[in-house]
């Protein structure tokens, strides 16, 4: 699958610090590899959206919207029916805009935050009206639009920091951790996401061969073996909670009950049905 770089491939005015895009699609996409060169607020109007970053995975419907930090991610966009479209309003903004806003706030950075790459917030009456105002701005000339969008950016940031605190704001300015820390965090947060080796390598900004070498250096075994053991351990815990094998196999990352049963028996010596004998 081709990697898409945003907002570069949208042919937007490069001199602007904030960009507005009314996005609509008639096709579903699954785990599209996206490189975000700017931060983004995605207001979902119709459909469902899922994003996977190095340390966070979120799925939303139109009752929520998300703020994403620049970086590599996998993005899924689904229509709710064959006759509907996928629709969203996208607000791209530079890190410089975030730094300028923080300076205006004259506020101190919260202590001991654990910055995530993506945050989800609920729509409310204010935010719905905010999105409606963006639709009006999109009809104006490019020069006026650019200046108004900078004002609208500060408006929504003031509202969100007052309502939800400043953690998400500072997360947008946090540089990535050391490569080793980022690599381990990506693996630990993805072991149940059913991602391919190629997708994981993309999230780590590595080639597949480099990813495999790094994995074996940190974990002492191949990615396939490590992920299988983690999923089987998770399945074993679910079975101990009185769940049936047919309820567990898909949740543990297996496509069918037969392959799950075979892998489980190879690790534990009994089938999932007889796991209590362990």
């Amino acid at each position: 699958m081709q990697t898409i770089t945003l907002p570069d491939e949208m042919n937007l005015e490069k001199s602007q610090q904030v960009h507005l895009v009314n996005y609509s699609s008639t096709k579903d996409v699954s785990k599209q590899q996206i490189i975000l060169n700017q931060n983004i607020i995605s207001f979902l109007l119709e459909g469902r959206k899922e994003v996977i970053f190095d340390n966070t995975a979120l799925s939303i419907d139109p009752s929520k919207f998300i703020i994403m930090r620049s970086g590599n991610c996998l993005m899924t966009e689904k229509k709710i029916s064959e006759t509907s479209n996928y629709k969203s309003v996208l607000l791209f903004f530079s890190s410089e805009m975030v730094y300028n806003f923080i300076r205006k706030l004259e506020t101190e950075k919260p202590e001991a935050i654990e910055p995530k790459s993506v945050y989800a917030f609920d729509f409310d009456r204010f935010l719905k009206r905010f999105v409606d105002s963006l639709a009006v701005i999109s009809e104006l000339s490019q020069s006026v639009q650019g200046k108004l969008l900078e004002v609208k950016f500060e408006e929504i940031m003031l509202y969100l920091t007052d309502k939800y605190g400043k953690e998400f704001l500072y997360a947008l300015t946090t540089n990535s951790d050391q490569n080793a820390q980022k690599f381990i965090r990506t693996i630990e947060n993805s072991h149940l996401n059913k991602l391919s080796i190629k997708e994981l390598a993309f999230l780590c900004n590595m080639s597949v061969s480099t990813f495999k070498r790094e994995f074996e250096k940190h974990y002492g075994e191949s990615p396939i073996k490590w992920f299988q053991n983690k999923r089987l351990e998770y399945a074993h815990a679910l079975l101990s909670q009185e769940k049936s094998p047919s309820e567990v196999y898909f949740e543990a990352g297996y496509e069918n009950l037969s392959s799950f049963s075979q892998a489980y028996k190879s690790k534990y010596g009994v089938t999932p049905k007889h796991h209590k004998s362990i």
Side-chain angles (χ1 to χ4, degrees):
M1 181 180 293
Q2 183 180 2
T3 300
I4 297 175
T5 303
L6 300 177
D8 301 39
E9 297 184 25
M10 290 183 163
N11 297 318
L12 302 176
E13 177 55 55
K14 293 184 178 180
S15 62
Q16 286 184 205
Q17 297 279 4
V18 185
H19 294 102
L20 174 64
V21 176
N22 292 305
Y23 177 74
S24 179
S25 177
T26 60
K27 297 179 180 179
D28 292 342
V29 296
S30 181
K31 294 180 182 175
Q32 172 67 57
Q33 294 183 353
I34 301 289
I35 299 174
L36 291 174
N37 280 342
Q38 287 190 331
N39 309 298
I40 180 176
I41 305 178
S42 177
F43 298 102
L44 183 58
L45 304 181
E46 190 174 338
R48 293 193 63 85
K49 185 185 195 78
E50 178 186 280
V51 289
I52 300 174
F53 278 84
D54 57 347
N55 64 352
T56 319
L58 283 178
S59 179
I60 64 167
D61 59 26
S63 67
K64 294 182 179 292
F65 68 97
I66 54 178
I67 299 180
M68 294 180 278
R69 187 172 65 189
S70 59
N72 290 17
C73 69
L74 302 173
M75 193 172 296
T76 297
E77 298 171 348
K78 300 288 186 181
K79 301 182 298 178
I80 58 173
S81 70
E82 288 297 323
T83 57
S84 66
N85 289 338
Y86 175 91
K87 294 181 180 179
S88 62
V89 174
L90 309 176
L91 199 65
F92 293 95
F93 55 96
S94 66
S95 294
E96 183 180 349
M97 288 293 295
V98 181
Y99 285 118
N100 289 341
F101 178 75
I102 290 174
R103 282 195 290 270
K104 287 184 179 181
L105 280 184
E106 296 182 348
T107 182
E108 294 184 1
K109 184 177 181 179
E111 294 183 5
I113 68 169
E114 296 183 7
K116 297 181 290 186
S117 297
V118 57
Y119 291 80
F121 299 117
D122 293 329
F123 261 116
D124 57 24
R125 187 172 61 177
F126 175 89
L127 291 165
K128 289 178 181 177
R129 290 181 176 178
F130 178 85
V131 175
D132 288 341
S133 71
L134 294 180
V136 176
I137 290 175
S138 68
E139 298 173 356
L140 302 176
S141 67
Q142 197 69 40
S143 59
V144 174
Q145 186 180 138
K147 294 176 182 178
L148 284 176
L149 287 177
E150 291 185 14
V151 176
K152 299 300 286 185
F153 168 79
E154 292 198 358
E155 177 185 333
I156 191 169
M157 288 299 165
L158 279 170
Y159 181 76
L160 293 177
T161 52
D162 179 68
K163 186 169 184 178
Y164 296 106
K166 297 173 288 187
E167 179 179 312
F168 82 91
L169 184 66
Y170 280 91
L172 296 174
T173 68
T174 302
N175 293 325
S176 298
D177 298 333
Q178 295 295 323
N179 290 338
Q181 293 175 320
K182 179 179 179 180
F183 181 85
I184 292 172
R185 187 179 63 217
T186 302
I187 301 305
E188 299 294 338
N189 284 281
S190 301
H191 70 276
L192 294 177
N193 283 342
K194 293 182 282 188
L195 302 181
S196 67
I197 300 301
K198 184 178 180 181
E199 289 167 340
L200 285 166
F202 173 77
L203 292 176
C204 294
N205 197 25
M206 296 177 177
S207 67
V208 171
S209 58
T210 300
F211 176 85
K212 289 180 177 179
R213 285 197 301 271
E214 283 296 307
F215 196 100
E216 294 196 13
K217 182 174 73 175
H218 288 289
Y219 292 96
E221 58 185 342
S222 70
I224 292 175
K225 186 175 180 180
W226 187 89
F227 279 107
Q228 177 171 280
N229 281 330
K230 283 292 182 181
R231 288 165 182 163
L232 289 172
E233 288 169 4
Y234 179 65
H236 182 68
L238 293 178
L239 290 168
S240 298
Q241 298 171 11
E242 304 300 325
K243 288 193 174 184
S244 68
S246 59
E247 293 176 299
V248 167
Y249 79 87
F250 186 77
E251 192 172 346
Y254 286 85
E255 296 298 325
N256 57 70
L257 181 57
S258 176
S259 60
F260 167 59
S261 296
Q262 184 177 358
Y264 191 93
K265 185 176 182 180
S266 177
K267 179 175 175 65
Y268 291 107
V270 297
T271 64
K273 186 177 180 180
H274 299 97
H275 75 283
K276 288 185 178 179
S277 63
I278 297 176

